[in-house]
């Protein structure tokens, strides 16, 4: 019996690690959110926009189908930044080291131009949210990068334009990163929230020093753990985690 218990314990210790992404539904501050945490030091986190023919993927199902041809699957994904009507990125966009759009540093209309905005940068073994001017100054080499705005949390402080009593409520999604770049948390609200409420989720609940807004009403999530893969109008840039497909997938 003792030997069997020891063997069982050893098997548990040797069991495979948890999946590439840890997704859950949470409640905070009277609002509901879906969050997905990724260890950027371990997982294949990257951006997607176009296929090999230059066509925009646009939908999670299209992207997942293309990955399946290479024996991969989409473990998680969400829209990743603002885009024009042709789905081209509004600000900086880098995929596999190739830059499609330059960094935009000036103020402008809409949420993107509500400075300070920022850049989500994926590098070897880490991912970081940078305020745009800090990104321009440090010039990190990103394998993948997408610019969006506004920043939600900047070095532990909420964006200075966020108002606690704002009456601007939308479904929103975004990303936050830890100081060491290993912990990356994506969140999407399950009900309409203000910028102040959404930023507070990242700063006060998730305890992340920097976070970036991706978009509002068009925000969508692919999270098989939650039984969710949102459909709708075509998207522009998408961020996701890929892993090897299991037999039968």
């Amino acid at each position: 019996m003792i030997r069997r218990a020891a063997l069982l314990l050893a098997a548990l210790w040797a069991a495979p690690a948890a999946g590439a992404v840890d997704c859950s539904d949470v409640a905070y501050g009277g609002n509901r959110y879906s969050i997905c945490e990724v260890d950027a030091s371990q997982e294949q986190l990257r951006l997607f926009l176009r296929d090999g023919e230059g066509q925009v993927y646009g939908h999670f199902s299209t992207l997942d189908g293309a990955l399946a041809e290479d024996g991969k699957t989409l473990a998680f994904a969400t829209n990743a930044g603002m885009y024009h009507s042709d789905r081209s990125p509004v600000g900086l966009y880098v995929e596999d080291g190739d830059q499609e759009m330059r960094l935009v540093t000036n103020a402008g209309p809409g949420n993107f131009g509500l400075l300070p905005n920022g850049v989500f940068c994926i590098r070897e073994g880490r991912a970081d949210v940078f305020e745009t001017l800090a990104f321009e100054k440090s010039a990190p080499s990103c394998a993948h990068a997408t610019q969006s705005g506004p920043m939600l949390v900047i070095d532990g402080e909420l964006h200075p334009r966020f108002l606690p009593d704002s009456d601007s409520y939308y479904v929103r999604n975004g990303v936050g990163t830890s100081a060491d770049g290993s912990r990356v948390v994506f969140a999407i609200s399950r009900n309409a929230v203000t910028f102040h409420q959404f930023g507070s989720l990242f700063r006060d609940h998730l305890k992340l020093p920097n976070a970036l807004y991706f978009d509002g009403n068009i925000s969508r999530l692919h999270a098989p753990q939650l039984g969710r893969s949102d459909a709708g109008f075509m998207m522009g840039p998408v961020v996701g985690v890929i892993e090897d497909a299991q037999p039968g997938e």
Side-chain angles (χ1 to χ4, degrees):
M1 177 67 77
I2 294 176
R3 183 171 181 274
R4 287 183 62 190
L7 290 172
L8 178 59
L9 183 61
L12 289 173
W13 277 106
V21 186
D22 182 16
C23 294
S24 61
D25 290 328
V26 303
Y28 177 71
N31 295 301
R32 298 172 295 121
Y33 302 92
S34 293
I35 64 171
C36 290
E37 297 208 22
V38 177
D39 183 347
S41 69
Q42 299 293 324
E43 309 304 344
Q44 298 182 66
L45 177 65
R46 56 158 298 161
L47 290 166
F48 303 90
L49 180 57
R50 307 179 192 277
D51 62 19
E53 303 300 318
Q55 299 300 308
V56 174
Y57 288 111
H59 303 282
F60 297 135
S61 58
T62 305
L63 174 55
D64 205 22
L67 290 171
E69 296 178 3
D70 295 324
K72 303 289 184 180
T73 190
L74 198 58
F76 146 83
T78 190
N79 54 293
M82 298 171 189
Y83 50 87
H84 298 291
S85 59
D86 64 355
R87 274 60 185 177
S88 62
V90 172
L92 177 70
Y93 186 78
V94 178
E95 185 176 325
D96 281 331
D98 294 327
Q99 180 176 306
E100 175 167 335
M101 177 60 189
R102 64 177 177 81
L103 188 72
V104 177
T105 58
N106 54 292
N111 291 325
F112 182 92
L114 184 61
L115 303 185
N117 56 21
V119 176
F120 177 56
C121 167
I122 303 170
R123 294 179 280 177
E124 181 68 29
R126 68 180 297 157
D128 300 274
V129 168
F130 292 90
E131 185 274 325
T132 293
L133 296 183
F135 179 88
E136 183 182 44
K137 182 177 181 180
S138 59
S141 179
C142 309
H144 299 268
T146 183
Q147 185 181 10
S148 192
M151 287 286 287
L152 297 169
V153 185
I154 312 154
D155 296 330
E157 300 293 333
L158 294 183
H159 192 291
R161 299 279 296 276
F162 293 174
L163 303 175
D165 58 352
S166 171
D167 60 359
S168 178
Y169 285 83
Y170 290 95
V171 169
R172 305 182 190 274
N173 80 309
V175 61
T177 55
S178 60
D180 66 0
S182 65
R183 181 178 175 229
V184 185
V185 185
F186 300 88
I188 183 169
S189 66
R190 298 173 63 206
N191 58 268
V193 296
T194 67
F195 271 132
H196 193 277
Q197 291 169 334
F198 197 43
S200 296
L201 171 78
F202 285 96
R203 184 189 67 174
D204 303 331
H205 181 66
L206 298 173
K207 308 297 184 184
L208 295 169
N210 290 287
L212 178 65
Y213 179 65
F214 276 154
D215 218 326
N217 276 345
I218 61 92
S219 299
R220 295 202 289 280
L221 176 68
H222 173 82
Q225 285 184 14
L226 302 179
R228 179 172 175 178
S229 187
D230 302 339
F233 293 112
M234 285 187 67
M235 297 175 286
V238 169
V239 61
V241 170
I242 57 175
E243 60 183 0
D244 293 334
Q246 299 301 311
E249 288 189 344

